[in-house]
Amino acid sequence: MKACYPGTFDPITLGHLDIIERAAAIFDELDVLLMVNPRKKCLFDAETRKKMIEVSLASKGCSNVNVIIGEGLTVDFAAKTGSKAIVRGIRAVTDYEYELQQATANLMLDSDIETMFLIAKPEYSFLSSSVVKEIALNDGDISKMVPKEVVQPVMDAIHERYDLLKG
Ligand code: ADP
């Protein structure tokens, strides 16, 4: 069975990577769905985010994982690409409320596609792309938070953006 793991991944974290590896071990095929939402301001453009996920996966041997850029409704994209399930990660109760709302809406839109939740590993339960960006902006150490391949690209991009803001 094929599933998809939709998200923003701005940038990918070790928490995301862990969910990808665990989902790839359950499903025959997994699409990491990088959903482009024009209303969401991202630090990295979609192509850069896609490349970051791909380089992070390169050493993992997940041959059944593809990274795809999509837009519109996740259920429509899932149906179009043949996914029967949507995988999401839950870190804490705060995630649960939002995720429950999304999953219920998706079920109403397409009852053929199920949402399946994987809980975050305790060591990643605090980890989010926003936390990574905040720490990077303040020159903190993000090497235990993002895949090693993307540590430097994240640091470079965040400082480039910050310098632009400073004028
Ligand atoms: P979105 O904007 O769709 O929430 P994210 O990239 O922030 O996109 O997250 C994608 C999915 O990964 C969400 O289900 C989120 O709860 C989950 N997730 C984010 N960080 C972690 C983490 N550290 N551990 C496990 N799951 C996570």
Short mmCIF file of all heavy atoms in Angstrom, two decimals, residues 5-10 13 15-16 19 40 87-91 95 98-99 118-121 124-129, ligand 1:
data_model
loop_
_atom_site.label_atom_id
_atom_site.label_comp_id
_atom_site.label_asym_id
_atom_site.label_seq_id
_atom_site.Cartn_x
_atom_site.Cartn_y
_atom_site.Cartn_z
N TYR A 5 3.26 11.44 3.18
CA TYR A 5 3.55 12.18 4.41
C TYR A 5 3.65 13.66 4.02
O TYR A 5 4.68 14.12 3.56
CB TYR A 5 4.87 11.67 5.00
CG TYR A 5 5.37 12.43 6.22
CD1 TYR A 5 4.51 12.93 7.20
CD2 TYR A 5 6.74 12.63 6.41
CE1 TYR A 5 4.99 13.61 8.31
CE2 TYR A 5 7.23 13.31 7.52
CZ TYR A 5 6.34 13.80 8.46
OH TYR A 5 6.81 14.48 9.57
N PRO A 6 2.52 14.39 4.16
CA PRO A 6 2.53 15.79 3.76
C PRO A 6 3.09 16.71 4.84
O PRO A 6 2.94 16.43 6.03
CB PRO A 6 1.04 16.09 3.52
CG PRO A 6 0.32 15.16 4.43
CD PRO A 6 1.21 13.96 4.65
N GLY A 7 3.72 17.79 4.41
CA GLY A 7 4.23 18.75 5.38
C GLY A 7 4.87 19.93 4.68
O GLY A 7 4.91 20.00 3.44
N THR A 8 5.37 20.85 5.50
CA THR A 8 6.00 22.06 4.98
C THR A 8 7.52 21.87 4.90
O THR A 8 8.17 22.36 3.98
CB THR A 8 5.64 23.27 5.87
OG1 THR A 8 4.22 23.29 6.07
CG2 THR A 8 6.06 24.56 5.23
N PHE A 9 8.07 21.20 5.90
CA PHE A 9 9.50 20.85 5.93
C PHE A 9 10.41 22.06 5.67
O PHE A 9 11.27 22.03 4.80
CB PHE A 9 9.81 19.73 4.93
CG PHE A 9 8.90 18.54 5.05
CD1 PHE A 9 7.92 18.28 4.10
CD2 PHE A 9 8.99 17.69 6.14
CE1 PHE A 9 7.05 17.19 4.22
CE2 PHE A 9 8.13 16.60 6.28
CZ PHE A 9 7.17 16.35 5.31
N ASP A 10 10.21 23.11 6.47
CA ASP A 10 10.96 24.36 6.27
C ASP A 10 11.87 24.66 7.47
O ASP A 10 11.57 25.60 8.21
CB ASP A 10 9.97 25.51 6.05
CG ASP A 10 10.67 26.82 5.70
OD1 ASP A 10 11.58 26.78 4.86
OD2 ASP A 10 10.33 27.87 6.27
N THR A 13 13.59 18.32 9.76
CA THR A 13 14.28 18.11 11.04
C THR A 13 14.51 16.61 11.24
O THR A 13 13.96 15.79 10.48
CB THR A 13 13.43 18.62 12.23
OG1 THR A 13 12.28 17.77 12.36
CG2 THR A 13 13.00 20.07 12.04
N GLY A 15 13.18 14.97 13.52
CA GLY A 15 11.85 14.44 13.86
C GLY A 15 11.11 14.02 12.60
O GLY A 15 10.52 12.93 12.53
N HIS A 16 11.14 14.88 11.57
CA HIS A 16 10.53 14.53 10.28
C HIS A 16 11.20 13.27 9.71
O HIS A 16 10.51 12.35 9.24
CB HIS A 16 10.74 15.65 9.25
CG HIS A 16 10.00 16.92 9.51
ND1 HIS A 16 10.61 18.16 9.46
CD2 HIS A 16 8.71 17.17 9.82
CE1 HIS A 16 9.71 19.11 9.71
NE2 HIS A 16 8.56 18.54 9.93
N ILE A 19 10.05 10.10 11.26
CA ILE A 19 8.70 9.70 10.82
C ILE A 19 8.79 9.09 9.41
O ILE A 19 8.16 8.07 9.12
CB ILE A 19 7.73 10.93 10.81
CG1 ILE A 19 7.55 11.49 12.23
CG2 ILE A 19 6.39 10.56 10.16
CD1 ILE A 19 6.70 10.67 13.17
N LYS A 40 1.59 30.57 3.34
CA LYS A 40 2.58 30.27 4.37
C LYS A 40 3.93 30.82 3.94
O LYS A 40 4.42 30.48 2.86
CB LYS A 40 2.68 28.76 4.55
CG LYS A 40 2.50 28.32 5.98
CD LYS A 40 2.58 26.83 6.09
CE LYS A 40 1.77 26.37 7.30
NZ LYS A 40 1.66 24.93 7.40
N VAL A 87 0.05 10.07 6.33
CA VAL A 87 0.78 9.90 7.60
C VAL A 87 1.05 11.27 8.19
O VAL A 87 1.46 12.20 7.48
CB VAL A 87 2.13 9.17 7.35
CG1 VAL A 87 2.97 9.13 8.63
CG2 VAL A 87 1.89 7.77 6.82
N ARG A 88 0.82 11.43 9.50
CA ARG A 88 1.17 12.67 10.18
C ARG A 88 1.84 12.31 11.50
O ARG A 88 1.64 11.23 12.05
CB ARG A 88 -0.09 13.51 10.45
CG ARG A 88 -0.76 14.02 9.20
CD ARG A 88 -0.06 15.17 8.53
NE ARG A 88 -0.21 16.41 9.29
CZ ARG A 88 0.35 17.55 8.95
NH1 ARG A 88 1.11 17.64 7.85
NH2 ARG A 88 0.18 18.64 9.67
N GLY A 89 2.65 13.23 12.00
CA GLY A 89 3.34 13.00 13.27
C GLY A 89 2.67 13.81 14.38
O GLY A 89 2.18 14.91 14.14
N ILE A 90 2.64 13.24 15.57
CA ILE A 90 2.07 13.96 16.72
C ILE A 90 3.12 14.04 17.82
O ILE A 90 3.67 13.03 18.24
CB ILE A 90 0.80 13.26 17.24
CG1 ILE A 90 -0.30 13.40 16.18
CG2 ILE A 90 0.38 13.84 18.58
CD1 ILE A 90 -1.69 13.23 16.70
N ARG A 91 3.41 15.28 18.24
CA ARG A 91 4.41 15.48 19.29
C ARG A 91 3.78 15.61 20.66
O ARG A 91 4.32 15.13 21.65
CB ARG A 91 5.24 16.74 18.99
CG ARG A 91 6.20 16.58 17.86
CD ARG A 91 6.63 17.91 17.32
NE ARG A 91 5.53 18.56 16.62
CZ ARG A 91 5.65 19.64 15.87
NH1 ARG A 91 6.83 20.22 15.75
NH2 ARG A 91 4.61 20.16 15.26
N ASP A 95 -0.43 19.38 19.25
CA ASP A 95 -0.51 18.91 17.85
C ASP A 95 -1.84 18.21 17.62
O ASP A 95 -2.44 18.33 16.56
CB ASP A 95 0.59 17.88 17.55
CG ASP A 95 1.91 18.52 17.17
OD1 ASP A 95 1.92 19.73 16.88
OD2 ASP A 95 2.92 17.80 17.16
N TYR A 98 -5.05 20.21 16.43
CA TYR A 98 -4.94 20.66 15.04
C TYR A 98 -5.04 19.47 14.08
O TYR A 98 -5.76 19.50 13.08
CB TYR A 98 -3.61 21.40 14.86
CG TYR A 98 -3.28 21.74 13.43
CD1 TYR A 98 -3.92 22.79 12.79
CD2 TYR A 98 -2.33 21.01 12.72
CE1 TYR A 98 -3.62 23.10 11.46
CE2 TYR A 98 -2.02 21.31 11.41
CZ TYR A 98 -2.66 22.35 10.78
OH TYR A 98 -2.38 22.66 9.48
N GLU A 99 -4.30 18.41 14.42
CA GLU A 99 -4.26 17.23 13.54
C GLU A 99 -5.62 16.56 13.44
O GLU A 99 -6.01 16.07 12.39
CB GLU A 99 -3.19 16.24 14.03
CG GLU A 99 -1.75 16.73 13.93
CD GLU A 99 -1.27 16.92 12.49
OE1 GLU A 99 -1.88 16.37 11.56
OE2 GLU A 99 -0.28 17.65 12.30
N LEU A 118 1.70 8.77 13.67
CA LEU A 118 2.84 8.17 14.36
C LEU A 118 3.26 9.16 15.44
O LEU A 118 3.33 10.37 15.17
CB LEU A 118 4.01 7.93 13.39
CG LEU A 118 3.77 6.92 12.27
CD1 LEU A 118 5.04 6.75 11.43
CD2 LEU A 118 3.37 5.56 12.83
N ILE A 119 3.51 8.66 16.64
CA ILE A 119 3.91 9.60 17.70
C ILE A 119 5.41 9.86 17.61
O ILE A 119 6.20 8.98 17.23
CB ILE A 119 3.52 9.12 19.12
CG1 ILE A 119 4.12 7.75 19.44
CG2 ILE A 119 2.01 9.09 19.27
CD1 ILE A 119 4.16 7.46 20.92
N ALA A 120 5.78 11.08 17.96
CA ALA A 120 7.20 11.47 17.91
C ALA A 120 7.99 10.69 18.95
O ALA A 120 7.49 10.39 20.04
CB ALA A 120 7.33 12.96 18.19
N LYS A 121 9.23 10.36 18.63
CA LYS A 121 10.12 9.79 19.63
C LYS A 121 10.35 10.87 20.70
O LYS A 121 10.43 12.07 20.36
CB LYS A 121 11.46 9.44 18.99
CG LYS A 121 11.40 8.27 18.05
CD LYS A 121 12.55 7.30 18.31
CE LYS A 121 12.52 6.14 17.36
NZ LYS A 121 13.51 6.29 16.28
N TYR A 124 12.60 13.77 20.11
CA TYR A 124 12.25 14.75 19.08
C TYR A 124 10.94 15.47 19.39
O TYR A 124 10.44 16.23 18.56
CB TYR A 124 12.11 14.05 17.72
CG TYR A 124 13.36 13.33 17.28
CD1 TYR A 124 13.29 12.05 16.72
CD2 TYR A 124 14.61 13.92 17.42
CE1 TYR A 124 14.44 11.39 16.31
CE2 TYR A 124 15.75 13.26 17.01
CZ TYR A 124 15.66 11.99 16.46
OH TYR A 124 16.79 11.34 16.06
N SER A 125 10.39 15.23 20.57
CA SER A 125 9.03 15.74 20.83
C SER A 125 8.99 17.26 21.00
O SER A 125 7.94 17.87 20.93
CB SER A 125 8.42 15.05 22.04
OG SER A 125 9.20 15.33 23.17
N PHE A 126 10.14 17.88 21.20
CA PHE A 126 10.20 19.35 21.34
C PHE A 126 10.56 20.00 20.00
O PHE A 126 10.56 21.23 19.88
CB PHE A 126 11.26 19.73 22.37
CG PHE A 126 12.66 19.57 21.82
CD1 PHE A 126 13.36 20.67 21.33
CD2 PHE A 126 13.23 18.32 21.73
CE1 PHE A 126 14.63 20.50 20.77
CE2 PHE A 126 14.48 18.14 21.17
CZ PHE A 126 15.18 19.23 20.70
N LEU A 127 10.90 19.18 19.03
CA LEU A 127 11.57 19.67 17.84
C LEU A 127 10.61 20.13 16.74
O LEU A 127 9.69 19.39 16.37
CB LEU A 127 12.46 18.54 17.30
CG LEU A 127 13.54 18.85 16.30
CD1 LEU A 127 14.39 20.02 16.72
CD2 LEU A 127 14.41 17.61 16.08
N SER A 128 10.82 21.34 16.25
CA SER A 128 10.00 21.83 15.14
C SER A 128 10.90 22.65 14.22
O SER A 128 11.98 23.11 14.63
CB SER A 128 8.87 22.73 15.66
OG SER A 128 9.42 23.91 16.19
N SER A 129 10.45 22.87 13.00
CA SER A 129 11.22 23.69 12.07
C SER A 129 11.38 25.10 12.62
O SER A 129 12.43 25.73 12.45
CB SER A 129 10.52 23.74 10.71
OG SER A 129 10.40 22.46 10.15
P1 ADP B 1 2.76 21.30 8.53
O1 ADP B 1 2.89 22.75 8.17
O2 ADP B 1 1.93 20.53 7.55
O3 ADP B 1 2.38 21.03 9.96
P2 ADP B 1 5.46 20.43 9.22
O4 ADP B 1 6.61 20.31 8.30
O5 ADP B 1 5.56 21.41 10.34
O6 ADP B 1 4.23 20.72 8.27
O7 ADP B 1 5.11 19.02 9.86
C1 ADP B 1 4.72 17.92 9.07
C2 ADP B 1 4.23 16.80 9.96
O8 ADP B 1 5.32 16.31 10.74
C3 ADP B 1 3.14 17.20 10.98
O9 ADP B 1 2.25 16.10 11.14
C4 ADP B 1 3.91 17.42 12.25
O10 ADP B 1 3.11 17.21 13.39
C5 ADP B 1 4.99 16.36 12.12
N1 ADP B 1 6.19 16.69 12.88
C6 ADP B 1 6.83 17.89 12.92
N2 ADP B 1 7.91 17.84 13.73
C7 ADP B 1 7.94 16.57 14.23
C8 ADP B 1 8.78 15.89 15.15
N3 ADP B 1 9.80 16.51 15.77
N4 ADP B 1 8.53 14.59 15.42
C9 ADP B 1 7.48 13.97 14.84
N5 ADP B 1 6.62 14.56 13.98
C10 ADP B 1 6.84 15.83 13.67
#
